[in-house]
Amino acid sequence: MKKVVLITGGSSGIGKSIGEFLHNKGFIVYGTSRNPEKITNSVFPLLALDVRNVESIQNAVAAIISKSGRVDVVINNAGVGITGPIEEIPTVEIKNNFETNLFGPIEVMKAVLPQMRSQKSGLIINITSIAGYMGLPYRGIYSASKGSLELITEAIRMEVKGFGIKITNVAPGDFATNIAAGRYHAPVIKGSAYEVPYGNTLKMMDEHVDSGSNPNEMAEAIYKIIQNPNPNVHYKIGVFMQKFSIVLKRILPDKVYEKMLMNHYKL
């Protein structure tokens, strides 16, 4: 029996790559987009879904169950970037980031868990970020929202294990996608105390994304996780130094690690 997969944020970037890869492997794939009518080149169907809107989440899940009768795999991929000095980011943008990166995935899980419980099976993969393992300068809000989802996953994984449901985190590093174009940038304010260091850091972050890994690497990793009958709690997907930075945070004294990050960002 073909597995039914729901991917939030499946119209571009990592989500699109994962969806195409799984579609080609014979899975029944449903992607989502806030405006699916604008997407004309998707090889799998796209449903209207905004993770900030609970009703749209419930409608999309109901549509999949009505058409396919089940939901086997959910990939919580929809997310948004945000950069800026915390002092200068408007509070409304901070709240929007958490609505998208944390509360949205929680609501998606809440929407699919009853169906998975009735099936006595299911897999939820939450896409987080290597940035969620550390507080990064001028990316603090993004680090916090993704790090929160990592911890939520650890908790809910234990809560639902007895129902035959598996939940895991996948934390990617920098991948060559359009995330930089879609994220909220606090403006570099002329004369601000942060003008020079934030401006330099923003340029460096954009360069990292532009030279990032191929999103197909994420697609292959997700496929392997789906095939694994007992997935790990956490996966990190990226170049060696990005993954090794998490190891260093565990073993180095806090101030040494902080100095290493500040040297990296030339702060």
Side-chain angles (χ1 to χ4, degrees):
M1 184 172 60
K2 291 184 176 181
K3 287 187 176 180
V4 178
V5 181
L6 164 62
I7 306 173
T8 65
S11 62
S12 63
I14 286 175
K16 182 180 180 181
S17 294
I18 294 170
E20 289 175 348
F21 190 93
L22 296 181
H23 171 80
N24 291 335
K25 289 289 185 180
F27 291 79
I28 299 171
V29 177
Y30 295 92
T32 75
S33 170
R34 282 180 293 176
N35 300 291
E37 68 281 356
K38 295 181 179 180
I39 312 300
T40 59
N41 62 346
S42 180
V43 300
F44 49 86
L46 290 173
L47 304 174
L49 189 152
D50 184 340
V51 293
R52 299 166 301 178
N53 183 308
V54 175
E55 185 178 1
S56 80
I57 293 170
Q58 293 172 341
N59 288 343
V61 171
I64 293 170
I65 294 170
S66 175
K67 186 165 185 178
S68 296
R70 58 190 297 113
V71 181
D72 297 296
V73 181
V74 171
I75 302 170
N76 256 325
N77 167 73
V80 65
I82 185 169
T83 67
I86 291 173
E87 182 182 351
E88 294 181 352
I89 300 175
T91 300
V92 66
E93 294 295 345
I94 295 173
K95 290 181 176 179
N96 179 66
N97 191 266
F98 273 80
E99 287 286 348
T100 305
N101 290 356
L102 178 63
F103 300 125
I106 291 172
E107 292 296 342
V108 171
M109 288 191 284
K110 289 166 72 173
V112 300
L113 281 173
Q115 175 62 32
M116 289 184 170
R117 199 161 47 245
S118 71
Q119 298 168 185
K120 298 182 172 59
S121 68
L123 170 65
I124 299 173
I125 301 173
N126 289 327
I127 307 298
T128 57
S129 173
I130 285 178
Y133 283 84
M134 59 204 74
L136 296 175
Y138 306 113
R139 293 180 72 185
I141 302 304
Y142 184 75
S143 290
S145 62
K146 289 295 189 176
S148 297
L149 185 56
E150 288 270 339
L151 294 179
I152 288 287
T153 304
E154 289 181 2
I156 196 170
R157 173 184 164 100
M158 291 184 280
E159 294 172 2
V160 304
K161 187 171 283 192
F163 307 128
I165 301 168
K166 298 155 188 167
I167 305 185
T168 185
N169 280 309
V170 177
D174 289 321
F175 281 83
T177 68
N178 61 350
I179 187 172
R183 72 185 172 204
Y184 172 80
H185 296 283
V188 179
I189 301 172
K190 192 165 183 61
S192 162
Y194 303 103
E195 178 185 0
V196 174
Y198 171 46
N200 291 339
T201 303
L202 185 59
K203 183 180 178 183
M204 182 186 297
M205 285 188 282
D206 289 343
E207 289 171 353
H208 286 172
V209 171
D210 291 340
S211 62
S213 303
N214 190 321
N216 286 338
E217 292 180 28
M218 269 290 287
E220 291 174 9
I222 294 294
Y223 175 68
K224 289 178 182 177
I225 292 168
I226 293 172
Q227 301 300 101
N228 188 341
N230 187 26
N232 296 336
V233 182
H234 300 283
Y235 292 90
K236 293 91 174 173
I237 311 297
V239 299
F240 172 78
M241 281 309 299
Q242 290 173 350
K243 293 186 286 186
F244 189 54
S245 66
I246 300 172
V247 177
L248 290 177
K249 189 173 195 294
R250 277 202 302 263
I251 63 177
L252 291 176
D254 289 345
K255 289 185 178 179
V256 173
Y257 190 77
E258 178 185 65
K259 186 174 182 180
M260 185 188 76
L261 283 179
M262 293 188 74
N263 287 340
H264 174 74
Y265 288 101
K266 299 180 174 59
L267 298 176

